[in-house]
Amino acid sequence: KKISPKKKKSDFDLFKDIFSDLSVLGYLQSLSVYSILNESLFALDNIFDIKVDLDLDTIKFFSEFKAEHDFISENQIEYEVYFNELYLKVLPVEDIELSVGKKISIWGKADEYNPTDFINPEDMRYMTLKSKADRNLGTYLIEYKQFIKDFSFTVDYIPLFMPNKNPSDDSSWTPPFRSELVNSPQITMLEESKPQFDLLDPQIALKLSANVENFDFDLVYFNGYNFSSAFYRSIDPIKGSIIVSPEYKRFNGFGTGIAAAISSFTIRFEGALKDATYFPTQAAPGVLKKPDYNLITGFDFTQEELYMNLNYIITGILYYEPDIMRDETIDFFSFKTNYSFFDGNI
């Protein structure tokens, strides 16, 4: 019997192969909050989100597109359209991943609060009302990741600094300290001085991770900028008014994270130490540079569709001085629970 020659793959077959590896997820979310203090319900934002994930054998393309309708203050409504993530990941050889573009990297072992997440800015316009996953913003980076058995090593090269999205000056979510600066007639607030794109002096992040059965461990180092600016004060020699100059300052950060799963429970710990954080003071120049630490310990409980998380968080300033306009230590508990009524992916 004559053997027919092998057919050449048609363009349509190629399209079917690509389509089978393509995932598209979209949703519309509306967030409103009821204030017990004011006994009123008010809207925060409406979001249309669509994620496109093309995962081939050695190449992955991922994008997250967002269109937002934000009630950022009583007098202002903002419309914003942007890509929160847009990156390409390639696997040039086995056990090596290389990502380029705007990406959210997963740093930290705790839930909701991650002291070791030095690289992902957050949308803080409504403080922590949104979950950490919804607050995360992508940053422009080149990421190298290598796997060696149960270990992985990650290097993030970040040439462009991305700050947090903070509340507008007339928002009810603006911290009182900033509101006083902005609304005072004796104070002139200058534009923020943001670090520029710099290939030769980028932010650098290193992470060593271990994953052994039900135990995860991270050890991290970071050299880069604080996500929030420091407010330097000076006196205008002619007008005699106060000039405030917001500046983003650099620091070195060190941290570790641990997660251990035991049956339906996961015990978590995460801690970070920064060598330079700039705290507001009454005296000129308006800030004091001090090292500080952030620690979080807690546990999760998961039972089918039910999830519960309890955390204890403590943050403190080393070499504290009374002139600093913040307590030496702040500690609090956080509790979160959710229940999925339908498919857990929804």
Side-chain angles (χ1 to χ4, degrees):
K1 184 178 179 181
K2 187 177 180 181
I3 299 175
S4 301
K6 187 177 180 180
K7 288 185 177 180
K8 183 181 178 183
K9 216 171 196 180
S10 70
D11 293 338
F12 182 71
D13 291 332
L14 182 62
F15 174 78
K16 284 198 299 183
D17 287 346
I18 293 176
F19 191 77
S20 65
D21 295 316
L22 180 67
S23 169
V24 180
L25 170 67
Y27 65 88
L28 180 64
Q29 172 181 290
S30 181
L31 178 63
S32 298
V33 172
Y34 180 78
S35 170
I36 298 175
L37 185 65
N38 299 323
E39 296 184 347
S40 60
L41 179 71
F42 56 96
L44 294 186
D45 63 9
N46 299 303
I47 299 175
F48 173 69
D49 187 295
I50 185 166
K51 299 176 182 178
V52 178
D53 188 349
L54 177 60
D55 195 350
L56 304 176
D57 290 338
T58 59
I59 298 176
K60 176 180 178 177
F61 170 80
F62 182 84
S63 69
E64 181 185 19
F65 172 82
K66 283 190 173 185
E68 298 187 6
H69 172 223
D70 295 301
F71 301 90
I72 59 177
S73 72
E74 295 180 359
N75 305 315
Q76 188 176 357
I77 298 176
E78 184 176 276
Y79 298 89
E80 190 174 11
V81 176
Y82 63 97
F83 279 99
N84 196 32
E85 291 189 85
L86 184 64
Y87 67 90
L88 184 69
K89 179 193 290 185
V90 296
L91 287 73
V93 295
E94 187 178 0
D95 297 330
I96 290 180
E97 294 179 356
L98 184 64
S99 301
V100 180
K102 190 178 185 183
K103 181 183 179 183
I104 296 173
S105 291
I106 305 301
W107 285 60
K109 295 301 181 185
D111 186 20
E112 285 302 306
Y113 300 93
N114 296 115
T116 63
D117 187 0
F118 299 120
I119 67 172
N120 295 305
E122 296 183 31
D123 184 349
M124 299 298 292
R125 287 176 294 181
Y126 310 111
M127 305 311 288
T128 57
L129 276 181
K130 292 184 177 181
S131 68
K132 179 71 162 61
D134 289 332
R135 296 196 309 267
N136 276 340
L137 300 172
T139 190
Y140 294 96
L141 53 73
I142 299 174
E143 183 175 83
Y144 172 85
K145 190 171 186 178
Q146 182 166 0
F147 299 90
I148 306 173
K149 294 184 178 180
D150 296 327
F151 296 86
S152 66
F153 179 66
T154 304
V155 179
D156 283 346
Y157 171 92
I158 310 169
L160 180 62
F161 169 71
M162 302 287 289
N164 283 343
K165 281 186 178 180
N166 294 312
S168 62
D169 293 335
D170 60 343
S171 169
S172 57
W173 303 97
T174 303
F177 172 73
R178 182 179 175 90
S179 294
E180 292 173 6
L181 291 177
V182 171
N183 297 321
S184 174
Q186 289 86 28
I187 294 177
T188 301
M189 179 75 77
L190 302 181
E191 290 291 326
E192 289 184 332
S193 176
K194 295 180 182 178
Q196 300 298 309
F197 178 83
D198 195 335
L199 290 172
L200 300 179
D201 189 23
Q203 300 180 100
I204 295 291
L206 309 175
K207 179 170 67 171
L208 177 65
S209 302
N211 188 329
V212 182
E213 293 183 356
N214 296 322
F215 179 82
D216 289 350
F217 171 78
D218 283 348
L219 191 63
V220 306
Y221 167 75
F222 176 77
N223 177 267
Y225 295 95
N226 284 290
F227 290 126
S228 297
S229 54
F231 296 102
Y232 283 86
R233 296 201 303 269
S234 60
I235 303 297
D236 188 323
I238 299 176
K239 299 180 180 179
S241 60
I242 299 174
I243 300 174
V244 177
S245 305
E247 298 180 17
Y248 290 93
K249 308 299 290 185
R250 204 159 185 139
F251 71 94
N252 291 292
F254 308 85
T256 185
I258 298 171
I262 305 172
S263 185
S264 298
F265 292 88
T266 302
I267 301 171
R268 302 180 183 275
F269 170 81
E270 192 172 338
L273 174 68
K274 296 165 66 176
D275 70 343
T277 300
Y278 295 79
F279 297 97
T281 64
Q282 295 286 1
V287 295
L288 269 178
K289 174 185 172 183
K290 294 291 180 180
D292 71 329
Y293 63 88
N294 290 269
L295 303 174
I296 175 171
T297 184
F299 70 90
D300 307 339
F301 173 77
T302 306
Q303 187 67 45
E304 295 181 350
E305 290 84 9
L306 176 65
Y307 173 81
M308 292 188 292
N309 169 258
L310 177 66
N311 289 323
Y312 172 68
I313 299 103
I314 181 169
T315 175
I317 304 172
L318 301 178
Y319 312 114
Y320 184 80
E321 295 184 29
D323 194 39
I324 296 175
M325 298 170 62
R326 208 205 81 170
D327 291 338
E328 184 175 359
T329 59
I330 298 173
D331 63 334
F332 58 95
F333 287 93
S334 75
F335 175 73
K336 183 180 81 168
T337 182
N338 59 55
Y339 185 89
S340 300
F341 291 93
F342 304 103
D343 188 315
N345 293 321
I346 298 179

